[in-house]
Amino acid sequence: MTRYSPPWFLQFQRITPGKIVVLGGASAIVLGTIFLLLPWATIPSKPLSIIDALFTATSAVCVTGLIVADTATDLTAFGQTVVLMLIQIGGLGYATLVTLLLLTMRRQIGLRNRMMMAEALSTLNLQGLIPFVKAIVMWTVFLELVGALLLSVRFFQDYTLDQAIYHGIFQAISAFNNAGFSSFSTNLIEYRTDLIVNVIVAILIILGGLGFFVLIDVSQFFRGERYRLQTHTKLVLVVTGLLLVGGTIGLLFLEWTNPKTLGDLPVFDKILVGAFHAVSARTAGFNTIDLSQLGNASLYLIIILMFIGGSPGGTAGGIKTTTFGIIGMFVWTTLRQPGDVEFFWRRVPITVVHRALALAILSMFVLTVLTLVLSVLESQPFLALMFEVASALGTTGYSVGNGDVLSLSANLTPFGKLVIVVCMFIGRFGPLLVGLGSFQEKGKKLYRLPESKISIC
C-alpha cells in the first residue's frame, strides 16, 4: 500500500522551526531585491541589474557588506533606507522580529515559535525566552542610539546637522550589526586617524559580535543578579580577547614598514589602524586603509580572522569564537593526554566538541570548493578570490577590490556574483542548519559495534 503524502502546500506545518528562520531570511532577501529594483531606489543613470539588486539585498540581510554598487552615490535616500532596514532585519534576526511583532499584537507565543526563536538565537533553553528577546531589542535600540548620537556629534564638525545625524545613524546601525556598509564612498578611510570614530565604531562592532547572551550575562553579573559568569560567556570573552590582541600584533608586525598602509603613519596611528582592522576583520567589514595595498601575509591573516568570525547569538558570522576555542582546547587536550575537554573547571560535552569539529570542517570544505569554482571561472588573482569567498562566508564584507571603492565582486561575471551570493547566504544561515542537524532527536542505539584499529600517522 502506497503511503499518502499531502500536497506541498499542506506540508508547511511540518517544516522545522530552524528552516522557517532560513525561509524568512530568504523572503527578506527577495523583498529587498524587489525594492532595490524600483526606479526610485537608484539614481537614473545607474539602475541596478537583477543580479546586482539580489547581491546587494543578500549582502544587507546577511549583514556582510560586500557591494557591487556604491551605497553613497549609486543609491538614492530611498535605496539607502532599504539597505539599512535589511541590515537591521538581518542583524536582529527574522525570529526576533516575528516575536516582537507577536508581542506587540499581544498574541500568545506558541511552542513552535519558541523553538524557532531558540534555534535562531543559538540557545536551546526555552525558559525565559520571551524576556530574553525583549532584552535583545532593548540592548539593540539602546546601543545603536548611543552610538548614533556620539557619531553624529563627531560628524557635525564636517557636515550639516541633518547629514551628520544621517551618517551617524547609518554607521551606528551598520557597525552594531557587523554589516560593514557605509554611507561614505570610501568607507571610513577619511577617518583613518580619528580616535573618536575608530573607538566608537570598534566598540559597537565588538558588542554586536559578542552575542546578546554574553551582553545580558555580563550585565546581570555586574548588577549582582548572578555571582559568576556562565562558562559560555567566559569562553567568548577569552577567545575574543586573544583574537583582538593577536590580530592587532600580527597586522602591526606585517604592515609596520609598508609605505602604502602603515609605514608613513606615526606610531599611535599605526596602532590605532592595526587595532581597528583586527576588530573589523572578524565580521564587520569597515576599513580605514585600502586593503588592496596589504601584503599577501596580511591578507591571509585577515582570511583566518574572517573565517573564525564573532560569537554565537549575535550579529557576527564565521564559524564562531566558541567553535574555534573548543577545537583549540580539544587539540591541546589530545596532544597532552586524551580525555575530557575542560575549560574553567567545567567539562565540555563530547557532542559539542563533535559539532564544533563538524562545523569547522564543513566551513573549510565550502571555502575550498567555492574558491576553486571561482578560480576556474574568473580571471582574478587566486588569493583575492579566496579573500572574497572567506569574506562572504564570514559575512565580513572585506574585499581587496583592486583599489576600487567597490568590492572585487563588482568585477566578477554574473555567475561569479551568484557564487558570492550563495557564499553569503551559507555564511549567515549555514551554521544554523548544521546546528539543527546535530540537534535532531534520534533513537539511541542499544548496541555498539566492535572497535577496529586504524593507523593515522
Side-chain angles (χ1 to χ4, degrees):
M1 181 181 293
T2 304
R3 186 177 178 182
Y4 170 73
S5 178
W8 67 269
F9 54 83
L10 294 180
Q11 296 181 12
F12 181 75
Q13 292 297 326
R14 302 170 60 180
I15 298 178
T16 61
K19 291 180 181 177
I20 293 178
V21 175
V22 175
L23 289 174
S27 301
I29 291 173
V30 172
L31 288 175
T33 302
I34 294 173
F35 279 118
L36 290 174
L37 286 173
L38 295 175
W40 50 85
T42 56
I43 61 175
S45 60
K46 291 186 177 181
L48 292 177
S49 64
I50 295 178
I51 185 63
D52 286 347
L54 173 65
F55 189 102
T56 304
T58 305
S59 183
V61 172
C62 297
V63 289
T64 304
L66 291 174
I67 58 174
V68 291
D70 189 352
T71 308
T73 59
D74 295 347
L75 300 183
T76 62
F78 173 80
Q80 293 177 24
T81 303
V82 169
V83 169
L84 205 58
M85 291 178 65
L86 293 176
I87 290 172
Q88 192 69 82
I89 291 173
L92 274 177
Y94 167 77
T96 305
L97 293 175
V98 169
T99 304
L100 182 62
L101 179 61
L102 292 175
L103 291 174
T104 304
M105 297 170 61
R106 300 185 181 277
R107 295 281 298 276
Q108 187 175 2
I109 310 297
L111 178 61
R112 187 177 181 82
N113 289 324
R114 290 173 184 265
M115 292 173 59
M116 178 180 66
M117 294 174 341
E119 289 163 350
L121 298 173
S122 300
T123 175
L124 292 180
N125 184 15
L126 298 180
Q127 184 179 4
L129 198 57
I130 303 305
F132 182 64
V133 171
K134 292 180 179 178
I136 286 176
V137 176
M138 291 177 60
W139 270 101
T140 300
V141 173
F142 173 73
L143 291 174
E144 288 180 353
L145 279 176
V146 172
L149 177 62
L150 295 176
L151 287 174
S152 297
V153 172
R154 170 60 188 88
F155 292 146
F156 185 51
Q157 300 177 22
D158 305 320
Y159 300 93
T160 61
L161 179 60
D162 56 337
Q163 291 176 327
I165 293 175
Y166 175 74
H167 289 309
I169 293 175
F170 198 104
Q171 261 60 228
I173 293 177
S174 183
F176 182 73
N177 289 286
N178 281 217
F181 279 92
S182 177
S183 55
F184 303 116
S185 291
T186 56
N187 210 285
L188 296 180
I189 292 180
E190 183 181 348
Y191 296 95
R192 176 176 58 178
T193 59
D194 191 296
L195 180 63
I196 296 176
V197 173
N198 277 260
V199 170
I200 294 173
V201 172
I203 290 175
L204 288 173
I205 292 171
I206 293 172
L207 293 178
L210 286 176
F212 296 109
F213 180 87
V214 173
L215 293 179
I216 294 173
D217 191 38
V218 171
S219 66
Q220 290 176 343
F221 173 77
F222 281 106
R223 292 201 306 264
E225 297 179 14
R226 62 171 66 247
Y227 66 94
R228 69 171 64 175
L229 296 174
Q230 299 198 35
T231 305
H232 170 87
T233 301
K234 294 177 182 177
L235 180 59
V236 167
L237 294 178
V238 169
V239 176
T240 299
L242 290 175
L243 289 174
L244 292 179
V245 174
T248 301
I249 294 175
L251 288 174
L252 289 176
F253 174 77
L254 295 172
E255 295 294 322
W256 190 268
T257 58
N258 185 348
K260 298 179 180 179
T261 55
L262 304 183
D264 297 333
L265 297 176
V267 173
F268 179 81
D269 291 340
K270 288 182 179 181
I271 296 174
L272 183 65
V273 172
F276 181 84
H277 285 82
V279 172
S280 186
R282 288 181 43 247
T283 68
F286 284 98
N287 63 287
T288 58
I289 56 175
D290 184 354
L291 299 180
S292 66
Q293 302 301 321
L294 292 174
N296 289 339
S298 299
L299 291 177
Y300 197 76
L301 174 60
I302 291 177
I303 287 176
I304 295 173
L305 294 175
M306 294 191 297
F307 183 78
I308 297 171
S311 304
T315 59
I319 64 172
K320 303 296 189 293
T321 54
T322 48
T323 299
F324 177 73
I326 289 171
I327 293 175
M329 291 186 293
F330 171 73
V331 172
W332 176 253
T333 301
T334 302
L335 292 177
R336 293 182 62 200
Q337 183 177 358
D340 292 331
V341 176
E342 299 174 346
F343 181 75
F344 271 89
W345 299 278
R346 292 291 186 272
R347 175 173 55 85
V348 180
I350 191 64
T351 54
V352 175
V353 176
H354 290 167
R355 200 177 307 136
L357 288 169
L359 178 58
I361 292 172
L362 285 173
S363 298
M364 181 62 72
F365 175 78
V366 173
L367 172 64
T368 302
V369 170
L370 293 181
T371 301
L372 179 62
V373 170
L374 281 183
S375 64
V376 171
L377 299 175
E378 304 292 336
S379 59
Q380 303 294 334
F382 175 80
L383 185 59
L385 291 174
M386 185 178 185
F387 193 92
E388 199 82 0
V389 173
S391 178
L393 286 175
T395 67
T396 304
Y398 265 173
S399 178
V400 290
N402 291 333
D404 200 335
V405 296
L406 303 179
S407 64
L408 180 70
S409 297
N411 300 319
L412 300 180
T413 62
F415 185 80
K417 292 178 182 177
L418 192 58
V419 171
I420 298 298
V421 166
V422 172
C423 287
M424 292 188 287
F425 194 81
I426 293 176
R428 185 59 176 164
F429 297 104
L432 173 63
L433 292 179
V434 172
L436 293 180
S438 61
F439 286 133
Q440 296 296 327
E441 291 292 338
K442 300 177 179 66
K444 259 193 173 181
K445 285 185 178 180
L446 300 179
Y447 62 91
R448 298 180 71 186
L449 296 174
E451 288 185 352
S452 180
K453 292 185 177 180
I454 300 176
S455 178
I456 60 172
C457 61

